[in-house]
Amino acid sequence: MVALVVVVHSLLCVVVIALVLMHSGKDAGLSGAFGVGAASSSYGGSTAIVERNLTRVTVAAAVLFGITTFALAKLL
C-alpha cells in the first residue's frame, strides 16, 4: 500500500511541476513552446479557454498531490 502511494505521489509531483511550467506568464514561459501563449491558435485565437482549462487541471493535480501527501503522513 505504501509503495503504491509513493509511486502515485511521485508521478503527481512531476505532473504538477510540468503543469505549472506550462502556464503563461509575463514572458509566456514554457507554455509558448506548446502554443498556449500564442496570439492566434487553432482555438480561434482565444487562449483564455485553454488557460482556464490548464488552471483547472493544475488545481486538480495539486489537490490530489495534497491528498497523497496526507496519506503518506498517515501511513509512514
Side-chain angles (χ1 to χ4, degrees), residues 7-8 14 18 23 30-31 35 43 46 50-51 55 57 59 66 71-72:
V7 168
V8 170
V14 173
H23 279 277
L30 187 61
S31 64
Y43 296 103
S46 174
V50 177
E51 268 300 316
T55 301
V57 172
V59 168
L72 280 174

Side-chain angles (χ1 to χ4, degrees), residues 13-34:
C13 177
V14 173
V15 168
V16 168
I17 290 170
L19 287 171
V20 167
L21 287 175
M22 286 188 347
H23 279 277
S24 63
K26 293 180 183 176
D27 298 330
L30 187 61
S31 64
F34 299 107

Side-chain angles (χ1 to χ4, degrees), residues 22-73:
M22 286 188 347
H23 279 277
S24 63
K26 293 180 183 176
D27 298 330
L30 187 61
S31 64
F34 299 107
V36 175
S40 64
S41 66
S42 61
Y43 296 103
S46 174
T47 59
I49 296 172
V50 177
E51 268 300 316
R52 193 173 328 131
N53 289 334
L54 183 61
T55 301
R56 289 177 182 162
V57 172
T58 304
V59 168
V63 167
L64 289 174
F65 180 78
I67 290 170
T68 58
T69 301
F70 286 122
L72 280 174

